[in-house]
Amino acid sequence: KLLLAEKYIPSKKIQCQTTLFRVQTGSEYSQTIGDDYGLSTVCQNPPQVLVIPGDHRTFLQGENVQVLADQINTVVL
């Protein structure tokens, strides 16, 4: 999946405001594509990046869920 995403070249950039909810603990791959996971290359405006505590497996566990819910509410409401 990551290889496909890396090779994908969109025909135009996303025009609307974009928000990325990303985990605090990244992988080696995320270090090579930047804090916004490369979204700035496909978005007209810089994406808003909100960081959730944890990693790919733990960001939806314990208190991290409330952090994510609060951040979603901030963006949506």
Short mmCIF file of all heavy atoms in Angstrom, two decimals:
data_model
loop_
_atom_site.label_atom_id
_atom_site.label_comp_id
_atom_site.label_asym_id
_atom_site.label_seq_id
_atom_site.Cartn_x
_atom_site.Cartn_y
_atom_site.Cartn_z
N LYS A 1 0.82 -1.19 0.00
CA LYS A 1 0.00 0.00 0.00
C LYS A 1 0.87 1.25 0.00
O LYS A 1 0.53 2.22 -0.66
CB LYS A 1 -0.92 0.00 1.22
CG LYS A 1 -1.98 -1.07 1.18
CD LYS A 1 -2.83 -1.00 2.43
CE LYS A 1 -3.76 -2.17 2.50
NZ LYS A 1 -4.53 -2.18 3.73
N LEU A 2 1.91 1.22 0.78
CA LEU A 2 2.78 2.40 0.84
C LEU A 2 3.46 2.65 -0.49
O LEU A 2 3.63 3.79 -0.91
CB LEU A 2 3.82 2.25 1.95
CG LEU A 2 3.27 2.29 3.37
CD1 LEU A 2 4.38 2.03 4.38
CD2 LEU A 2 2.59 3.61 3.66
N LEU A 3 3.84 1.58 -1.18
CA LEU A 3 4.46 1.72 -2.49
C LEU A 3 3.49 2.35 -3.48
O LEU A 3 3.87 3.22 -4.27
CB LEU A 3 4.91 0.35 -3.01
CG LEU A 3 6.40 0.09 -2.98
CD1 LEU A 3 6.68 -1.37 -3.21
CD2 LEU A 3 7.14 0.95 -3.94
N LEU A 4 2.25 1.90 -3.47
CA LEU A 4 1.25 2.48 -4.36
C LEU A 4 1.04 3.95 -4.06
O LEU A 4 0.96 4.78 -4.97
CB LEU A 4 -0.08 1.73 -4.23
CG LEU A 4 -0.11 0.31 -4.79
CD1 LEU A 4 -1.43 -0.36 -4.46
CD2 LEU A 4 0.11 0.33 -6.29
N ALA A 5 0.95 4.29 -2.78
CA ALA A 5 0.75 5.69 -2.41
C ALA A 5 1.94 6.54 -2.82
O ALA A 5 1.78 7.69 -3.25
CB ALA A 5 0.54 5.79 -0.90
N GLU A 6 3.12 5.98 -2.72
CA GLU A 6 4.33 6.72 -3.08
C GLU A 6 4.39 6.99 -4.58
O GLU A 6 4.86 8.04 -5.01
CB GLU A 6 5.55 5.91 -2.65
CG GLU A 6 6.85 6.66 -2.75
CD GLU A 6 8.00 5.86 -2.16
OE1 GLU A 6 8.08 5.77 -0.93
OE2 GLU A 6 8.79 5.33 -2.96
N LYS A 7 3.88 6.08 -5.39
CA LYS A 7 3.92 6.22 -6.84
C LYS A 7 2.76 7.03 -7.41
O LYS A 7 2.80 7.45 -8.56
CB LYS A 7 3.97 4.84 -7.50
CG LYS A 7 5.25 4.11 -7.24
CD LYS A 7 5.26 2.76 -7.93
CE LYS A 7 6.57 2.05 -7.69
NZ LYS A 7 6.66 0.80 -8.42
N TYR A 8 1.72 7.23 -6.61
CA TYR A 8 0.52 7.91 -7.08
C TYR A 8 0.82 9.39 -7.36
O TYR A 8 1.41 10.09 -6.54
CB TYR A 8 -0.60 7.80 -6.05
CG TYR A 8 -1.83 8.58 -6.42
CD1 TYR A 8 -2.66 8.15 -7.45
CD2 TYR A 8 -2.17 9.74 -5.74
CE1 TYR A 8 -3.79 8.86 -7.79
CE2 TYR A 8 -3.29 10.45 -6.07
CZ TYR A 8 -4.11 10.00 -7.10
OH TYR A 8 -5.22 10.71 -7.43
N ILE A 9 0.40 9.87 -8.52
CA ILE A 9 0.54 11.27 -8.88
C ILE A 9 -0.85 11.79 -9.23
O ILE A 9 -1.42 11.41 -10.26
CB ILE A 9 1.49 11.45 -10.08
CG1 ILE A 9 2.87 10.90 -9.74
CG2 ILE A 9 1.57 12.91 -10.47
CD1 ILE A 9 3.83 10.85 -10.91
N PRO A 10 -1.41 12.65 -8.37
CA PRO A 10 -2.77 13.14 -8.63
C PRO A 10 -2.80 14.10 -9.82
O PRO A 10 -1.80 14.76 -10.13
CB PRO A 10 -3.14 13.87 -7.34
CG PRO A 10 -1.84 14.23 -6.72
CD PRO A 10 -0.85 13.18 -7.14
N SER A 11 -3.95 14.18 -10.46
CA SER A 11 -4.08 15.06 -11.63
C SER A 11 -4.24 16.53 -11.22
O SER A 11 -3.96 17.42 -12.00
CB SER A 11 -5.27 14.63 -12.48
OG SER A 11 -6.46 14.68 -11.72
N LYS A 12 -4.73 16.78 -10.00
CA LYS A 12 -4.82 18.15 -9.48
C LYS A 12 -4.76 18.10 -7.96
O LYS A 12 -4.92 17.04 -7.35
CB LYS A 12 -6.08 18.85 -9.96
CG LYS A 12 -7.37 18.17 -9.58
CD LYS A 12 -8.54 18.91 -10.18
CE LYS A 12 -9.84 18.20 -9.82
NZ LYS A 12 -11.00 18.92 -10.31
N LYS A 13 -4.57 19.25 -7.34
CA LYS A 13 -4.44 19.32 -5.89
C LYS A 13 -5.79 19.47 -5.20
O LYS A 13 -6.73 20.02 -5.78
CB LYS A 13 -3.54 20.49 -5.49
CG LYS A 13 -2.09 20.27 -5.88
CD LYS A 13 -1.20 21.32 -5.27
CE LYS A 13 0.25 20.97 -5.59
NZ LYS A 13 1.17 21.70 -4.75
N ILE A 14 -5.88 18.98 -3.99
CA ILE A 14 -7.09 19.12 -3.17
C ILE A 14 -7.26 20.58 -2.83
O ILE A 14 -6.33 21.24 -2.36
CB ILE A 14 -6.96 18.27 -1.89
CG1 ILE A 14 -6.85 16.78 -2.26
CG2 ILE A 14 -8.13 18.50 -0.95
CD1 ILE A 14 -6.44 15.89 -1.10
N GLN A 15 -8.46 21.11 -3.07
CA GLN A 15 -8.72 22.54 -2.89
C GLN A 15 -9.17 22.90 -1.47
O GLN A 15 -8.99 24.03 -1.04
CB GLN A 15 -9.78 23.00 -3.89
CG GLN A 15 -9.41 22.75 -5.33
CD GLN A 15 -8.20 23.54 -5.78
OE1 GLN A 15 -8.09 24.72 -5.51
NE2 GLN A 15 -7.28 22.87 -6.45
N CYS A 16 -9.79 21.99 -0.76
CA CYS A 16 -10.36 22.31 0.56
C CYS A 16 -9.31 22.20 1.67
O CYS A 16 -8.23 21.64 1.47
CB CYS A 16 -11.53 21.40 0.86
SG CYS A 16 -11.08 19.66 1.00
N GLN A 17 -9.66 22.75 2.84
CA GLN A 17 -8.80 22.61 4.01
C GLN A 17 -8.70 21.13 4.37
O GLN A 17 -9.71 20.43 4.40
CB GLN A 17 -9.37 23.41 5.20
CG GLN A 17 -8.59 23.25 6.48
CD GLN A 17 -7.13 23.70 6.38
OE1 GLN A 17 -6.85 24.73 5.78
NE2 GLN A 17 -6.22 22.93 6.92
N THR A 18 -7.51 20.66 4.64
CA THR A 18 -7.27 19.26 4.94
C THR A 18 -6.63 19.13 6.31
O THR A 18 -5.76 19.91 6.67
CB THR A 18 -6.33 18.64 3.89
OG1 THR A 18 -6.87 18.88 2.59
CG2 THR A 18 -6.18 17.15 4.08
N THR A 19 -7.10 18.14 7.07
CA THR A 19 -6.54 17.89 8.40
C THR A 19 -6.06 16.46 8.47
O THR A 19 -6.77 15.53 8.09
CB THR A 19 -7.60 18.12 9.50
OG1 THR A 19 -8.09 19.46 9.39
CG2 THR A 19 -7.02 17.89 10.88
N LEU A 20 -4.85 16.29 8.95
CA LEU A 20 -4.26 14.97 9.18
C LEU A 20 -4.18 14.73 10.67
O LEU A 20 -3.59 15.53 11.40
CB LEU A 20 -2.86 14.89 8.56
CG LEU A 20 -2.03 13.65 8.95
CD1 LEU A 20 -2.65 12.38 8.36
CD2 LEU A 20 -0.59 13.81 8.49
N PHE A 21 -4.78 13.66 11.13
CA PHE A 21 -4.63 13.21 12.51
C PHE A 21 -3.56 12.13 12.47
O PHE A 21 -3.80 11.05 11.95
CB PHE A 21 -5.95 12.64 13.05
CG PHE A 21 -7.07 13.64 13.07
CD1 PHE A 21 -7.96 13.71 12.01
CD2 PHE A 21 -7.22 14.51 14.13
CE1 PHE A 21 -8.99 14.63 12.02
CE2 PHE A 21 -8.25 15.44 14.15
CZ PHE A 21 -9.15 15.49 13.09
N ARG A 22 -2.38 12.44 13.00
CA ARG A 22 -1.29 11.47 12.94
C ARG A 22 -0.83 11.12 14.35
O ARG A 22 -1.02 11.87 15.28
CB ARG A 22 -0.13 11.98 12.11
CG ARG A 22 0.53 13.24 12.61
CD ARG A 22 1.83 13.49 11.87
NE ARG A 22 2.87 12.68 12.43
CZ ARG A 22 3.82 13.14 13.24
NH1 ARG A 22 3.85 14.41 13.56
NH2 ARG A 22 4.73 12.33 13.71
N VAL A 23 -0.21 9.97 14.45
CA VAL A 23 0.27 9.51 15.75
C VAL A 23 1.57 10.21 16.12
O VAL A 23 2.32 10.68 15.27
CB VAL A 23 0.45 7.98 15.78
CG1 VAL A 23 -0.88 7.28 15.61
CG2 VAL A 23 1.45 7.53 14.74
N GLN A 24 1.81 10.26 17.41
CA GLN A 24 3.01 10.92 17.92
C GLN A 24 4.26 10.13 17.59
O GLN A 24 5.27 10.69 17.19
CB GLN A 24 2.87 11.07 19.44
CG GLN A 24 3.98 11.84 20.10
CD GLN A 24 3.68 12.05 21.57
OE1 GLN A 24 3.09 11.18 22.22
NE2 GLN A 24 4.06 13.20 22.09
N THR A 25 4.19 8.82 17.73
CA THR A 25 5.33 7.97 17.46
C THR A 25 5.27 7.49 16.03
O THR A 25 4.37 6.76 15.65
CB THR A 25 5.33 6.75 18.40
OG1 THR A 25 5.24 7.21 19.74
CG2 THR A 25 6.58 5.92 18.25
N GLY A 26 6.20 7.93 15.20
CA GLY A 26 6.19 7.59 13.78
C GLY A 26 7.10 6.42 13.48
O GLY A 26 7.85 5.93 14.31
N SER A 27 7.02 5.98 12.25
CA SER A 27 7.89 4.91 11.77
C SER A 27 9.05 5.53 10.99
O SER A 27 9.08 6.73 10.75
CB SER A 27 7.10 3.98 10.86
OG SER A 27 6.72 4.66 9.69
N GLU A 28 9.98 4.70 10.57
CA GLU A 28 11.08 5.19 9.73
C GLU A 28 10.52 5.78 8.44
O GLU A 28 11.03 6.78 7.95
CB GLU A 28 12.03 4.04 9.39
CG GLU A 28 12.99 3.70 10.49
CD GLU A 28 13.99 2.64 10.07
OE1 GLU A 28 14.43 2.65 8.91
OE2 GLU A 28 14.31 1.80 10.91
N TYR A 29 9.48 5.17 7.90
CA TYR A 29 8.90 5.66 6.65
C TYR A 29 8.36 7.07 6.84
O TYR A 29 8.56 7.94 5.99
CB TYR A 29 7.79 4.72 6.19
CG TYR A 29 7.21 5.12 4.86
CD1 TYR A 29 7.88 4.85 3.67
CD2 TYR A 29 6.00 5.79 4.78
CE1 TYR A 29 7.36 5.23 2.44
CE2 TYR A 29 5.47 6.17 3.56
CZ TYR A 29 6.16 5.88 2.40
OH TYR A 29 5.65 6.27 1.21
N SER A 30 7.68 7.33 7.96
CA SER A 30 7.10 8.66 8.17
C SER A 30 8.18 9.72 8.31
O SER A 30 7.95 10.89 8.00
CB SER A 30 6.18 8.66 9.39
OG SER A 30 6.91 8.45 10.58
N GLN A 31 9.35 9.34 8.76
CA GLN A 31 10.45 10.30 8.88
C GLN A 31 10.93 10.77 7.51
O GLN A 31 11.40 11.89 7.37
CB GLN A 31 11.60 9.71 9.68
CG GLN A 31 11.24 9.49 11.14
CD GLN A 31 12.34 8.77 11.91
OE1 GLN A 31 13.41 8.52 11.38
NE2 GLN A 31 12.07 8.43 13.15
N THR A 32 10.80 9.94 6.50
CA THR A 32 11.27 10.32 5.17
C THR A 32 10.26 11.16 4.40
O THR A 32 10.64 11.86 3.47
CB THR A 32 11.63 9.08 4.33
OG1 THR A 32 10.46 8.29 4.13
CG2 THR A 32 12.71 8.25 4.99
N ILE A 33 8.98 11.10 4.77
CA ILE A 33 7.97 11.86 4.03
C ILE A 33 7.49 13.10 4.75
O ILE A 33 6.66 13.83 4.24
CB ILE A 33 6.77 10.97 3.64
CG1 ILE A 33 6.09 10.39 4.87
CG2 ILE A 33 7.18 9.89 2.68
CD1 ILE A 33 4.83 9.62 4.58
N GLY A 34 7.99 13.37 5.95
CA GLY A 34 7.67 14.60 6.65
C GLY A 34 6.53 14.48 7.64
O GLY A 34 5.82 13.48 7.67
N ASP A 35 6.36 15.54 8.43
CA ASP A 35 5.33 15.56 9.47
C ASP A 35 3.92 15.46 8.92
O ASP A 35 3.01 15.00 9.59
CB ASP A 35 5.46 16.83 10.32
CG ASP A 35 6.66 16.79 11.24
OD1 ASP A 35 7.16 15.68 11.53
OD2 ASP A 35 7.11 17.87 11.66
N ASP A 36 3.73 15.93 7.70
CA ASP A 36 2.38 15.89 7.11
C ASP A 36 2.19 14.68 6.20
O ASP A 36 1.22 14.59 5.46
CB ASP A 36 2.06 17.18 6.36
CG ASP A 36 2.87 17.34 5.09
OD1 ASP A 36 3.74 16.50 4.79
OD2 ASP A 36 2.65 18.35 4.40
N TYR A 37 3.12 13.74 6.27
CA TYR A 37 3.07 12.49 5.48
C TYR A 37 2.97 12.78 3.98
O TYR A 37 2.39 12.03 3.22
CB TYR A 37 1.91 11.60 5.92
CG TYR A 37 2.04 11.00 7.30
CD1 TYR A 37 3.08 11.33 8.16
CD2 TYR A 37 1.12 10.09 7.76
CE1 TYR A 37 3.19 10.79 9.42
CE2 TYR A 37 1.22 9.53 9.02
CZ TYR A 37 2.26 9.88 9.85
OH TYR A 37 2.37 9.33 11.10
N GLY A 38 3.50 13.91 3.57
CA GLY A 38 3.51 14.26 2.16
C GLY A 38 2.25 14.91 1.64
O GLY A 38 2.13 15.16 0.44
N LEU A 39 1.30 15.19 2.52
CA LEU A 39 0.04 15.80 2.06
C LEU A 39 0.24 17.17 1.43
O LEU A 39 -0.53 17.56 0.54
CB LEU A 39 -0.95 15.91 3.22
CG LEU A 39 -1.68 14.64 3.61
CD1 LEU A 39 -2.59 14.89 4.81
CD2 LEU A 39 -2.48 14.09 2.45
N SER A 40 1.25 17.90 1.86
CA SER A 40 1.45 19.24 1.30
C SER A 40 1.73 19.20 -0.20
O SER A 40 1.52 20.20 -0.90
CB SER A 40 2.59 19.96 2.03
OG SER A 40 3.78 19.21 1.94
N THR A 41 2.15 18.07 -0.70
CA THR A 41 2.40 17.96 -2.14
C THR A 41 1.13 17.77 -2.94
O THR A 41 1.14 17.97 -4.15
CB THR A 41 3.38 16.80 -2.45
OG1 THR A 41 2.78 15.57 -2.06
CG2 THR A 41 4.71 16.99 -1.74
N VAL A 42 0.04 17.38 -2.28
CA VAL A 42 -1.22 17.14 -3.00
C VAL A 42 -2.34 18.09 -2.57
O VAL A 42 -3.46 17.97 -3.06
CB VAL A 42 -1.69 15.67 -2.87
CG1 VAL A 42 -0.70 14.72 -3.51
CG2 VAL A 42 -1.94 15.31 -1.42
N CYS A 43 -2.04 19.01 -1.66
CA CYS A 43 -3.04 19.96 -1.17
C CYS A 43 -2.69 21.37 -1.61
O CYS A 43 -1.53 21.77 -1.56
CB CYS A 43 -3.12 19.91 0.35
SG CYS A 43 -3.68 18.33 1.01
N GLN A 44 -3.70 22.13 -2.02
CA GLN A 44 -3.50 23.52 -2.42
C GLN A 44 -2.99 24.35 -1.24
O GLN A 44 -2.10 25.16 -1.38
CB GLN A 44 -4.81 24.10 -2.94
CG GLN A 44 -4.70 25.50 -3.47
CD GLN A 44 -3.89 25.58 -4.75
OE1 GLN A 44 -3.91 24.66 -5.55
NE2 GLN A 44 -3.17 26.66 -4.92
N ASN A 45 -3.59 24.15 -0.06
CA ASN A 45 -3.20 24.85 1.16
C ASN A 45 -2.47 23.88 2.08
O ASN A 45 -2.75 22.68 2.07
CB ASN A 45 -4.44 25.39 1.88
CG ASN A 45 -5.22 26.34 1.00
OD1 ASN A 45 -4.66 27.25 0.41
ND2 ASN A 45 -6.52 26.11 0.88
N PRO A 46 -1.57 24.37 2.92
CA PRO A 46 -0.87 23.47 3.84
C PRO A 46 -1.86 22.75 4.74
O PRO A 46 -2.78 23.37 5.29
CB PRO A 46 0.01 24.41 4.67
CG PRO A 46 0.10 25.67 3.89
CD PRO A 46 -1.15 25.76 3.07
N PRO A 47 -1.73 21.44 4.88
CA PRO A 47 -2.65 20.70 5.74
C PRO A 47 -2.40 21.00 7.21
O PRO A 47 -1.28 21.28 7.61
CB PRO A 47 -2.35 19.23 5.42
CG PRO A 47 -0.97 19.24 4.89
CD PRO A 47 -0.76 20.56 4.24
N GLN A 48 -3.47 20.98 7.97
CA GLN A 48 -3.35 21.10 9.42
C GLN A 48 -2.96 19.72 9.94
O GLN A 48 -3.60 18.72 9.58
CB GLN A 48 -4.69 21.54 10.01
CG GLN A 48 -4.71 21.61 11.52
CD GLN A 48 -6.08 22.00 12.06
OE1 GLN A 48 -7.09 21.84 11.39
NE2 GLN A 48 -6.10 22.50 13.28
N VAL A 49 -1.95 19.63 10.77
CA VAL A 49 -1.49 18.35 11.31
C VAL A 49 -1.73 18.36 12.81
O VAL A 49 -1.20 19.20 13.53
CB VAL A 49 0.00 18.10 11.02
CG1 VAL A 49 0.45 16.78 11.62
CG2 VAL A 49 0.27 18.13 9.52
N LEU A 50 -2.56 17.43 13.27
CA LEU A 50 -2.85 17.29 14.69
C LEU A 50 -2.28 15.95 15.16
O LEU A 50 -2.52 14.92 14.54
CB LEU A 50 -4.35 17.36 14.94
CG LEU A 50 -5.00 18.67 14.50
CD1 LEU A 50 -6.51 18.61 14.67
CD2 LEU A 50 -4.43 19.85 15.27
N VAL A 51 -1.54 16.00 16.25
CA VAL A 51 -0.81 14.82 16.71
C VAL A 51 -1.56 14.15 17.87
O VAL A 51 -1.93 14.80 18.84
CB VAL A 51 0.62 15.20 17.15
CG1 VAL A 51 1.38 13.98 17.64
CG2 VAL A 51 1.36 15.86 16.00
N ILE A 52 -1.76 12.84 17.74
CA ILE A 52 -2.41 12.03 18.76
C ILE A 52 -1.34 11.24 19.49
O ILE A 52 -0.46 10.64 18.86
CB ILE A 52 -3.41 11.02 18.11
CG1 ILE A 52 -4.34 11.72 17.12
CG2 ILE A 52 -4.19 10.26 19.17
CD1 ILE A 52 -5.20 12.78 17.70
N PRO A 53 -1.38 11.20 20.82
CA PRO A 53 -0.39 10.40 21.55
C PRO A 53 -0.49 8.92 21.16
O PRO A 53 -1.55 8.41 20.84
CB PRO A 53 -0.79 10.58 23.02
CG PRO A 53 -1.66 11.78 23.06
CD PRO A 53 -2.31 11.88 21.71
N GLY A 54 0.65 8.26 21.18
CA GLY A 54 0.68 6.83 20.92
C GLY A 54 1.28 6.49 19.57
O GLY A 54 1.92 7.32 18.93
N ASP A 55 1.05 5.26 19.16
CA ASP A 55 1.55 4.79 17.88
C ASP A 55 0.38 4.21 17.09
O ASP A 55 -0.78 4.36 17.48
CB ASP A 55 2.68 3.77 18.06
CG ASP A 55 2.26 2.53 18.84
OD1 ASP A 55 1.05 2.18 18.86
OD2 ASP A 55 3.13 1.88 19.45
N HIS A 56 0.68 3.54 15.99
CA HIS A 56 -0.35 3.01 15.10
C HIS A 56 -1.34 2.10 15.83
O HIS A 56 -2.52 2.05 15.48
CB HIS A 56 0.31 2.25 13.95
CG HIS A 56 -0.65 1.69 12.95
ND1 HIS A 56 -1.34 2.49 12.06
CD2 HIS A 56 -1.06 0.43 12.70
CE1 HIS A 56 -2.13 1.73 11.31
NE2 HIS A 56 -1.97 0.48 11.68
N ARG A 57 -0.88 1.39 16.84
CA ARG A 57 -1.75 0.46 17.56
C ARG A 57 -2.40 1.08 18.79
O ARG A 57 -3.48 0.67 19.19
CB ARG A 57 -0.95 -0.77 17.96
CG ARG A 57 -0.57 -1.62 16.77
CD ARG A 57 0.05 -2.94 17.21
NE ARG A 57 0.25 -3.81 16.07
CZ ARG A 57 1.31 -3.78 15.28
NH1 ARG A 57 2.29 -2.94 15.52
NH2 ARG A 57 1.42 -4.60 14.26
N THR A 58 -1.77 2.06 19.44
CA THR A 58 -2.28 2.55 20.72
C THR A 58 -3.02 3.88 20.66
O THR A 58 -3.56 4.32 21.66
CB THR A 58 -1.12 2.69 21.73
OG1 THR A 58 -0.19 3.67 21.24
CG2 THR A 58 -0.41 1.37 21.96
N PHE A 59 -3.09 4.52 19.50
CA PHE A 59 -3.75 5.82 19.46
C PHE A 59 -5.26 5.72 19.66
O PHE A 59 -5.91 6.70 19.97
CB PHE A 59 -3.40 6.60 18.18
CG PHE A 59 -4.20 6.24 16.96
CD1 PHE A 59 -5.20 7.07 16.52
CD2 PHE A 59 -3.93 5.09 16.27
CE1 PHE A 59 -5.93 6.76 15.38
CE2 PHE A 59 -4.64 4.77 15.13
CZ PHE A 59 -5.66 5.60 14.69
N LEU A 60 -5.81 4.54 19.52
CA LEU A 60 -7.24 4.32 19.77
C LEU A 60 -7.49 3.57 21.06
O LEU A 60 -8.51 2.89 21.22
CB LEU A 60 -7.87 3.56 18.60
CG LEU A 60 -8.02 4.35 17.31
CD1 LEU A 60 -8.57 3.48 16.20
CD2 LEU A 60 -8.90 5.57 17.50
N GLN A 61 -6.58 3.69 22.01
CA GLN A 61 -6.71 3.01 23.29
C GLN A 61 -6.60 4.00 24.44
O GLN A 61 -5.91 5.02 24.33
CB GLN A 61 -5.63 1.93 23.45
CG GLN A 61 -5.72 0.82 22.44
CD GLN A 61 -4.59 -0.19 22.56
OE1 GLN A 61 -3.64 0.02 23.31
NE2 GLN A 61 -4.69 -1.27 21.83
N GLY A 62 -7.27 3.69 25.54
CA GLY A 62 -7.15 4.49 26.76
C GLY A 62 -7.47 5.95 26.56
O GLY A 62 -8.41 6.32 25.86
N GLU A 63 -6.67 6.80 27.19
CA GLU A 63 -6.89 8.25 27.15
C GLU A 63 -6.65 8.84 25.76
O GLU A 63 -7.13 9.94 25.47
CB GLU A 63 -5.99 8.93 28.17
CG GLU A 63 -6.31 8.56 29.60
CD GLU A 63 -5.34 9.17 30.59
OE1 GLU A 63 -4.47 9.97 30.19
OE2 GLU A 63 -5.47 8.85 31.77
N ASN A 64 -5.92 8.13 24.91
CA ASN A 64 -5.65 8.64 23.56
C ASN A 64 -6.93 8.83 22.76
O ASN A 64 -7.01 9.72 21.92
CB ASN A 64 -4.70 7.71 22.82
CG ASN A 64 -3.35 7.60 23.50
OD1 ASN A 64 -3.00 8.42 24.34
ND2 ASN A 64 -2.59 6.58 23.15
N VAL A 65 -7.93 7.99 23.02
CA VAL A 65 -9.20 8.09 22.30
C VAL A 65 -9.86 9.45 22.58
O VAL A 65 -10.39 10.09 21.67
CB VAL A 65 -10.15 6.94 22.68
CG1 VAL A 65 -11.52 7.13 22.09
CG2 VAL A 65 -9.58 5.61 22.24
N GLN A 66 -9.80 9.89 23.83
CA GLN A 66 -10.40 11.17 24.18
C GLN A 66 -9.66 12.32 23.52
O GLN A 66 -10.27 13.29 23.06
CB GLN A 66 -10.44 11.37 25.70
CG GLN A 66 -11.24 12.59 26.12
CD GLN A 66 -12.69 12.50 25.68
OE1 GLN A 66 -13.38 11.53 25.95
NE2 GLN A 66 -13.18 13.53 24.98
N VAL A 67 -8.34 12.22 23.43
CA VAL A 67 -7.55 13.26 22.75
C VAL A 67 -7.98 13.35 21.29
O VAL A 67 -8.22 14.44 20.76
CB VAL A 67 -6.04 12.95 22.86
CG1 VAL A 67 -5.24 13.92 22.00
CG2 VAL A 67 -5.58 13.01 24.31
N LEU A 68 -8.11 12.20 20.63
CA LEU A 68 -8.54 12.17 19.23
C LEU A 68 -9.95 12.75 19.09
O LEU A 68 -10.20 13.58 18.21
CB LEU A 68 -8.48 10.74 18.68
CG LEU A 68 -9.00 10.55 17.26
CD1 LEU A 68 -8.21 11.40 16.26
CD2 LEU A 68 -8.94 9.08 16.87
N ALA A 69 -10.87 12.33 19.96
CA ALA A 69 -12.24 12.83 19.89
C ALA A 69 -12.29 14.35 20.07
O ALA A 69 -13.00 15.04 19.34
CB ALA A 69 -13.11 12.14 20.95
N ASP A 70 -11.52 14.86 21.01
CA ASP A 70 -11.48 16.31 21.23
C ASP A 70 -10.95 17.04 20.01
O ASP A 70 -11.46 18.09 19.62
CB ASP A 70 -10.62 16.65 22.46
CG ASP A 70 -11.25 16.20 23.77
OD1 ASP A 70 -12.46 15.90 23.80
OD2 ASP A 70 -10.50 16.12 24.78
N GLN A 71 -9.92 16.49 19.39
CA GLN A 71 -9.35 17.13 18.21
C GLN A 71 -10.30 17.07 17.03
O GLN A 71 -10.42 18.04 16.28
CB GLN A 71 -7.99 16.51 17.86
CG GLN A 71 -6.92 16.89 18.86
CD GLN A 71 -5.55 16.42 18.46
OE1 GLN A 71 -5.36 15.72 17.46
NE2 GLN A 71 -4.55 16.81 19.24
N ILE A 72 -11.00 15.97 16.86
CA ILE A 72 -12.00 15.87 15.79
C ILE A 72 -13.09 16.91 16.00
O ILE A 72 -13.50 17.61 15.07
CB ILE A 72 -12.59 14.45 15.69
CG1 ILE A 72 -11.52 13.48 15.16
CG2 ILE A 72 -13.82 14.43 14.80
CD1 ILE A 72 -11.93 12.01 15.22
N ASN A 73 -13.57 17.02 17.23
CA ASN A 73 -14.61 18.01 17.54
C ASN A 73 -14.14 19.42 17.26
O ASN A 73 -14.91 20.26 16.78
CB ASN A 73 -15.08 17.87 19.00
CG ASN A 73 -16.03 16.72 19.18
OD1 ASN A 73 -16.81 16.40 18.30
ND2 ASN A 73 -15.96 16.08 20.33
N THR A 74 -12.89 19.71 17.54
CA THR A 74 -12.35 21.04 17.29
C THR A 74 -12.37 21.36 15.79
O THR A 74 -12.69 22.47 15.39
CB THR A 74 -10.90 21.15 17.82
OG1 THR A 74 -10.93 20.91 19.23
CG2 THR A 74 -10.29 22.49 17.53
N VAL A 75 -12.04 20.37 14.97
CA VAL A 75 -11.98 20.57 13.52
C VAL A 75 -13.38 20.65 12.91
O VAL A 75 -13.66 21.50 12.07
CB VAL A 75 -11.16 19.44 12.85
CG1 VAL A 75 -11.29 19.52 11.34
CG2 VAL A 75 -9.70 19.51 13.28
N VAL A 76 -14.28 19.80 13.38
CA VAL A 76 -15.59 19.67 12.77
C VAL A 76 -16.56 20.76 13.24
O VAL A 76 -17.36 21.27 12.46
CB VAL A 76 -16.19 18.27 13.03
CG1 VAL A 76 -17.61 18.17 12.55
CG2 VAL A 76 -15.33 17.21 12.40
N LEU A 77 -16.48 21.09 14.50
CA LEU A 77 -17.46 22.05 15.05
C LEU A 77 -17.07 23.47 14.87
O LEU A 77 -16.14 23.98 14.64
CB LEU A 77 -17.68 21.77 16.53
CG LEU A 77 -18.22 20.37 16.84
CD1 LEU A 77 -18.38 20.18 18.34
CD2 LEU A 77 -19.56 20.12 16.16
#
